[in-house]
Amino acid sequence: MAACSENMGSIDGTRPKLSKDNKKLLKKQAKAKHILLKHEGIETVLHLSQSLVVANGGLGNGVSRQQLLAVLERCGKVETLLMPPNKPYAFVTYSSAEEAIKAYSSLSGQELCGEDAEQPITLYLSFVEKVVVKEVLSPSLPPGLIIVEDFVSPEQERTMLESIDWDSETSSQKSLKHRRVKHYGYEFRYDNNNVDKDKPLPGGLPDFCTEALRKCVQIGLIKHDPDQLTINQYEPGQGIPPHVDTHSAFEDEILSLSLGAEIVMDFKHPNGSVVPVMLPQRSLLIMSGESRYLWTHGITPRKFDVIQVSEGQTVGTISGNSGELTLSKRSTRTSFTFRKVRHSPCDCAFPSECDSQQTQKEKSPPTVGELGASTLEREYVHKVYDDIAGHFSSTRHTPWPKIGDFLASLPKGSLVADVGCGNGKYLGVNKDLCMIGCDRSKNLVDICRERTFEAFVCDALSVPFRAGAFDACISIAVIHHFATEERRIAALQELIRLLRKGGKALIYVWALEQEYKKNKSKYLKESKTSQGPSSDALGTNLAVKAPLPIHTNRTSFHSQDLLVPWHLKPTNKSKVTPENKEQNEKEHGPDSVYHRFYHVFCEGELEAMCNRLSNVAVQHSYHDQGNWCVILEKL
């Protein structure tokens, strides 16, 4: 017990002389102590306890849980063994301090051969206080990612692997630095990450893939029949760098069949979050939507994967719980990746990542829509609501019944985000919910805070909460203020990102059809007849270079993209004050008429837009007092 006895000294008060091996042991323990404190914030202790840190005994050293347990259990009953992912140490807690002392005395300095170590590993043990297991939720699969277990039988697997003719002239074969590769249908060119669409390979896809592809069609996994196949053979220690398959090269769905062995594939979002996903042997991976176009996927070159302890890892993401992880030795894996070659530009919902849309943007002169969307929203939405906040709030005090019903249907204690909360009208409707609001208007958020609601300023396209944090979201009269379809879809995607699996979102947008099924909305005044749009115009239409019409209040709509007047009446919360009245009248005229941009939705438009999202189901779609409304569920 060198770490304990070094401070105790001998009976006569002199410090005992340490051997060379003991000095080396103490030096290694000191180094391990420093690393532990730096990485985990845990200090080693000099007094005896039931818990020990085992330096060099971690997953990061190639030591598996089974291997370390076999050594530790020689000294007594192990209550817990925590092995943090990719760390060079582990934590063990014995049922008694005596057993921990025995382990410390007999195992410190003992050599152990790691699963993948060419040289023996020396274990160094030190006492620590009891380490608490922090529960870590398994991350959700990236949206649009589907994994089907046991997609082919062991007999089909054997047939497909044995049928690969690596010397066939009807395919293209390459031996890359990190793996063996074979192409069918079209050769994938690694110099430009694309295919030569005018030079298909002879023979098409091999017959031994027909049965698997037929099954994909029969159970509705794909919309396009693949015409390109890449076979990759990975030996242990080989991998493939993180990448997104080129948008312009292939259609939406990309399929990958894992034969011969399981593998952990890492998916990474542009925000930096990484989701390790287990692909079991004989499983089929389908990437579509966000997982195909936005997330990178790759395989880290290593000979072992960190997996769950449970009876072999089944399909799903790998959690970070250190009490559930071990190592799995890789075997030779052969992947069959099927794609459909694209013959038209990609028009996905991720333009910043899309080479088709970026190229088009570079070649074409910018349109008013491309340059004007954010400017128009800033001038005719953001600034307007900041200026009219007080007056606007005074007119928004009664919650709409069906929105109240939705909130009442949520379980007690649900965490709910009101994205575009305005003056917080719905933040206090249900006291059994934990509601957080956000809005682009600082002045409206200030009103929320005056009413003691939780609210902050942000853009609905980028809400600063982690993905999957909320049980429900509401977006009431917000999305119709976005000036392009792309931005409206992005706002919907941001709502879905915030939801946990099974979470629900309620969305309201203004309807073109203010009279529906012979019932007029409250917005229409019966004393007024429907009029055409005003001939006056402000701004420019985003779709065509034509003036945006100014709507006549309380009449039917005659255009989907328009400006709606707001006649400001001074209130004690209004931006119109004696100090700025002269400036206000100079800018807006004596009556202070503001104009707000709207895109009013026609019947079926909102639901169709929602159906384009990945991992979302439309539970209910309805018309409510001049608004189109949907309730979505995140799958």
Side-chain angles (χ1 to χ4, degrees):
M1 295 188 295
C4 296
S5 62
E6 65 171 323
N7 287 333
M8 295 169 62
S10 61
I11 295 175
D12 61 2
T14 61
R15 184 180 296 274
K17 188 175 181 180
L18 298 176
S19 68
K20 185 177 180 181
D21 287 340
N22 275 341
K23 287 181 179 178
K24 181 179 179 182
L25 178 59
L26 287 172
K27 186 176 180 181
K28 293 291 186 181
Q29 285 174 327
K31 182 178 180 182
K33 175 181 177 180
H34 174 74
I35 293 174
L36 186 63
L37 183 62
K38 179 179 179 181
H39 290 271
E40 301 289 342
I42 297 175
E43 289 193 73
T44 59
V45 295
L46 295 177
H47 60 266
L48 307 178
S49 73
Q50 293 174 245
S51 300
L52 297 156
V53 58
V54 185
N56 285 352
L59 298 173
N61 293 96
V63 178
S64 71
R65 176 176 295 271
Q66 297 83 347
Q67 187 182 18
L68 186 58
L69 263 177
V71 173
L72 296 173
E73 286 177 339
R74 297 176 197 161
C75 302
K77 183 180 178 182
V78 173
E79 283 191 351
T80 60
L81 175 60
L82 307 181
M83 303 186 76
N86 305 314
K87 299 296 185 181
Y89 44 78
F91 301 96
V92 59
T93 298
Y94 283 95
S95 59
S96 69
E98 290 73 19
E99 292 169 321
I101 294 169
K102 182 180 178 181
Y104 177 84
S105 301
S106 61
L107 300 182
S108 292
Q110 179 175 320
E111 290 186 344
L112 179 69
C113 288
E115 299 280 2
D116 190 36
E118 296 180 1
Q119 298 292 330
I121 294 169
T122 303
L123 302 179
Y124 299 99
L125 282 70
S126 298
F127 288 100
V128 294
E129 297 292 354
K130 186 174 178 64
V131 180
V132 179
V133 180
K134 295 180 181 179
E135 189 68 23
V136 180
L137 296 176
S138 296
S140 301
L141 287 174
L145 193 69
I146 298 173
I147 305 171
V148 183
E149 290 188 86
D150 295 317
F151 187 75
V152 296
S153 66
E155 293 75 19
Q156 286 177 290
E157 176 186 41
R158 185 168 53 253
T159 299
M160 294 180 74
L161 291 174
E162 291 175 352
S163 298
I164 302 173
D165 183 0
W166 291 102
D167 299 321
S168 170
E169 295 182 359
T170 60
S171 63
S172 173
Q173 177 185 338
K174 291 182 180 292
S175 291
L176 300 181
K177 179 180 179 181
H178 300 294
R179 63 195 185 281
R180 199 178 184 190
V181 181
K182 193 173 182 68
H183 304 289
Y184 292 88
Y186 294 84
E187 179 181 355
F188 186 85
R189 295 179 52 188
Y190 294 95
D191 57 343
N192 61 4
N193 292 323
N194 212 317
V195 295
D196 192 335
K197 299 173 184 179
D198 298 323
K199 294 181 180 180
L201 298 172
L205 301 192
D207 293 338
F208 56 83
C209 296
T210 303
E211 186 176 352
L213 292 176
R214 185 185 296 122
K215 183 177 178 180
C216 290
V217 175
Q218 288 174 345
I219 62 179
L221 293 176
I222 56 175
K223 298 190 292 284
H224 308 98
D225 291 330
D227 55 9
Q228 195 275 335
L229 166 64
T230 297
I231 299 178
N232 286 284
Q233 191 173 79
Y234 299 88
E235 297 295 337
Q238 295 180 331
I240 186 170
H243 66 284
V244 174
D245 284 69
T246 307
H247 290 208
S248 63
F250 306 108
E251 294 286 354
D252 190 6
E253 299 121 340
I254 293 177
L255 289 70
S256 182
L257 185 62
S258 295
L259 302 184
E262 66 187 16
I263 198 72
V264 172
M265 182 175 284
D266 294 319
F267 286 80
K268 186 174 183 179
H269 190 275
N271 66 12
S273 59
V274 177
V275 178
V277 177
M278 168 57 79
L279 305 181
Q281 184 177 349
R282 296 190 299 279
S283 67
L284 179 69
L285 167 75
I286 304 106
M287 292 182 289
S288 64
E290 183 176 319
S291 65
R292 182 264 186 268
Y293 290 120
L294 186 62
W295 293 64
T296 64
H297 61 279
I299 298 172
T300 303
R302 58 192 175 207
K303 295 184 179 180
F304 291 84
D305 280 320
V306 176
I307 67 168
Q308 309 294 135
V309 176
S310 57
E311 305 173 357
Q313 168 75 17
T314 56
V315 61
T317 59
I318 311 294
S319 80
N321 285 331
S322 55
E324 301 178 354
L325 302 177
T326 188
L327 293 179
S328 173
K329 189 174 183 178
R330 285 186 181 177
S331 301
T332 300
R333 171 181 172 267
T334 304
S335 69
F336 287 64
T337 302
F338 298 94
R339 308 176 180 93
K340 171 67 176 177
V341 172
R342 183 188 291 277
H343 294 283
S344 59
C346 176
D347 61 351
C348 68
F350 306 96
S352 62
E353 309 296 325
C354 181
D355 62 310
S356 286
Q357 297 180 56
Q358 291 298 318
T359 300
Q360 184 64 32
K361 196 171 183 179
E362 292 171 3
K363 290 182 177 179
S364 306
T367 65
V368 174
E370 289 170 338
L371 285 181
S374 59
T375 302
L376 187 145
E377 290 166 15
R378 183 172 63 251
E379 295 297 324
Y380 294 104
V381 181
H382 306 160
K383 285 186 177 180
V384 172
Y385 277 105
D386 259 346
D387 280 0
I388 69 173
H391 183 209
F392 178 82
S393 178
S394 70
T395 67
R396 300 299 190 270
H397 41 74
T398 305
W400 295 346
K402 289 189 177 181
I403 300 174
D405 292 343
F406 173 81
L407 294 174
S409 72
L410 299 175
K412 185 176 180 179
S414 294
L415 183 60
V416 183
D418 185 351
V419 180
C421 63
N423 68 342
K425 181 168 68 172
Y426 294 103
L427 295 179
V429 167
N430 188 340
K431 302 298 183 183
D432 290 333
L433 303 177
C434 179
M435 294 196 66
I436 301 175
C438 60
D439 200 279
R440 189 62 176 72
S441 168
K442 179 184 181 299
N443 291 332
L444 285 173
V445 168
D446 287 343
I447 293 172
C448 291
R449 291 172 176 167
E450 289 173 10
R451 301 172 68 183
T452 69
F453 295 137
E454 294 286 343
F456 62 94
V457 177
C458 78
D459 196 302
L461 297 180
S462 182
V463 182
F465 283 112
R466 64 175 174 82
F470 289 89
D471 300 298
C473 295
I474 61 173
S475 171
I476 311 302
V478 176
I479 292 176
H480 53 216
H481 283 309
F482 286 101
T484 64
E485 183 181 48
E486 175 186 303
R487 292 168 73 81
R488 293 188 281 273
I489 289 175
L492 290 172
Q493 288 171 329
E494 184 67 354
L495 287 174
I496 301 306
R497 184 189 69 81
L498 294 175
L499 290 174
R500 63 167 175 80
K501 283 190 284 189
K504 296 180 180 179
L506 173 65
I507 301 163
Y508 269 57
V509 295
W510 217 358
L512 178 69
E513 298 84 0
Q514 288 297 303
E515 184 172 344
Y516 185 67
K517 294 184 177 179
K518 298 184 179 179
N519 293 318
K520 290 184 177 181
S521 70
K522 291 181 181 179
Y523 176 74
L524 294 180
K525 285 185 176 179
E526 294 183 0
S527 59
K528 287 191 177 183
T529 58
S530 176
Q531 303 176 30
S534 166
S535 59
D536 296 331
L538 289 176
T540 305
N541 188 291
L542 299 178
V544 294
K545 292 184 179 180
L548 274 175
I550 297 179
H551 177 62
T552 301
N553 283 337
R554 304 294 177 181
T555 68
S556 298
F557 294 115
H558 295 273
S559 175
Q560 283 192 268
D561 292 324
L562 41 78
L563 297 172
V564 178
W566 181 276
H567 296 268
L568 181 67
K569 294 179 181 179
T571 68
N572 60 339
K573 299 286 185 182
S574 172
K575 296 289 287 187
V576 180
T577 63
E579 290 75 16
N580 66 12
K581 181 178 179 183
E582 182 179 347
Q583 180 65 24
N584 184 74
E585 290 185 354
K586 181 179 179 181
E587 293 180 0
H588 304 289
D591 295 331
S592 297
V593 179
Y594 290 78
H595 295 87
R596 297 170 294 163
F597 171 80
Y598 281 85
H599 170 86
V600 290
F601 282 66
C602 63
E603 184 172 7
E605 182 180 355
L606 177 60
E607 186 173 358
M609 196 174 289
C610 293
N611 285 329
R612 291 168 60 182
L613 305 177
S614 301
N615 283 3
V616 170
V618 177
Q619 282 196 337
H620 187 33
S621 178
Y622 59 97
H623 189 274
D624 182 22
Q625 285 298 328
N627 295 277
W628 286 115
C629 324
V630 296
I631 297 176
L632 304 178
E633 180 180 2
K634 184 172 182 177
L635 303 180

